[in-house]
Amino acid sequence: MKKLFYLLFLPVFLLAQTNEKNKFSVIGLDRMNVVYRGIPNPISIAVNDAKSFKITGDGVSKTKDGKFIIKPGSGNETKIYVEIITKASKKVVEEHIFRIKALPSGFTTINSHGCANKCIVELTYQDLLNATIDYKFDDFLFDYQINVTGFKINFLDYSLNKIGKTIEVRNNKINKETFLEIKKMSNASYIIISDLHFQLKNLDMYVCKVSPVKILISR
């Protein structure tokens, strides 16, 4: 039996824009509709009727494969400038404005259950066997993959209201050995999954706050 208590969601805001019409250049954000602060946001740039063009802006750079990324810093918006030499040999400088959204906090999930705010997931002992631990961002519109490589299981003695034994796991599953350790702790009403270790794919960034998940073991 699986239950999830006290689940809250944050609103999603559309925070990307370019200004003015009838421009030579078009800048599109790849796989998302916001620019996130502190990470390399991939962008696509197309320029019509041009002999050449140059891209500049705060945090804008070119990758080894010839594509562009933007890694915005402080503030609420960032600008990209496209300096164009048209086929008529005319110089045109265009400005594109994008608003910036801060990275959301992340949270721990077990078998896809969890939330960004405090909540309790109710699971049976059988549910815990081979349960998968994952990491998830709240309202993050980016194509990313995070592989959990380890975590801690903290046992909470409800009667004493304190943390007891801690088990360290070096993968993303509660395997049979760990499961048997959990069953030995018969006085533990709750366990807390915390202190995730992970590897990032398709995302060059630093992951900060990670909310744990609290599990009520139903017998």
Side-chain angles (χ1 to χ4, degrees):
M1 178 176 65
K2 303 175 183 178
K3 297 179 181 177
L4 185 62
F5 302 99
Y6 185 34
L7 188 59
L8 298 178
F9 297 91
L10 295 177
V12 179
F13 297 95
L14 183 62
L15 296 176
Q17 68 177 15
T18 56
N19 61 346
E20 301 182 16
K21 298 180 179 179
N22 303 320
K23 286 190 171 183
F24 288 94
S25 60
V26 176
I27 298 180
L29 299 171
D30 294 356
R31 302 188 304 274
M32 56 183 171
N33 57 7
V34 296
V35 176
Y36 287 99
R37 179 179 290 107
I39 68 170
N41 300 264
I43 57 178
S44 297
I45 299 175
V47 181
N48 297 319
D49 192 29
K51 289 182 179 180
S52 63
F53 65 91
K54 180 181 177 181
I55 307 298
T56 59
D58 183 23
V60 176
S61 61
K62 200 171 186 178
T63 62
K64 292 180 180 179
D65 58 2
K67 296 182 179 180
F68 290 91
I69 59 171
I70 178 170
K71 191 172 183 180
S74 60
N76 297 319
E77 65 180 31
T78 188
K79 297 178 181 180
I80 300 177
Y81 299 93
V82 185
E83 185 178 310
I84 304 164
I85 303 299
T86 69
K87 289 182 178 179
S89 298
K90 180 182 177 182
K91 182 179 177 180
V92 178
V93 178
E94 296 181 344
E95 176 187 88
H96 298 261
I97 301 175
F98 298 95
R99 300 207 179 192
I100 301 171
K101 185 176 181 180
L103 281 172
S105 297
F107 59 94
T108 305
T109 66
I110 179 167
N111 287 346
S112 300
H113 297 291
C115 62
N117 297 279
K118 293 182 179 180
C119 62
I120 299 174
V121 178
E122 182 177 345
L123 299 173
T124 66
Y125 275 119
Q126 196 59 37
D127 293 327
L128 292 174
L129 181 60
N130 295 319
T132 301
I133 309 303
D134 286 309
Y135 177 93
K136 185 177 180 181
F137 285 110
D138 191 48
D139 296 335
F140 190 47
L141 307 176
F142 201 100
D143 183 16
Y144 71 96
Q145 181 181 351
I146 299 179
N147 294 330
V148 174
T149 59
F151 59 92
K152 288 183 180 180
I153 301 176
N154 302 298
F155 293 88
L156 177 62
D157 189 327
Y158 186 75
S159 60
L160 299 178
N161 194 29
K162 68 177 183 178
I163 299 294
K165 182 178 179 180
T166 298
I167 297 177
E168 292 194 23
V169 181
R170 295 187 178 274
N171 51 60
N172 71 330
K173 287 187 178 293
I174 298 178
N175 56 26
K176 187 174 181 180
E177 181 181 354
T178 304
F179 173 74
L180 292 176
E181 285 292 319
I182 294 173
K183 290 202 72 173
K184 288 180 184 179
M185 301 295 292
S186 58
N187 62 331
S189 302
Y190 293 90
I191 61 173
I192 300 172
I193 307 296
S194 63
D195 295 336
L196 267 60
H197 297 278
F198 35 72
Q199 293 177 339
L200 305 177
K201 288 187 176 182
N202 306 325
L203 192 57
D204 176 20
M205 62 174 290
Y206 172 74
V207 177
C208 48
K209 181 180 178 182
V210 182
S211 298
V213 60
K214 189 175 182 180
I215 302 163
L216 170 63
I217 303 174
S218 59
R219 294 169 173 79

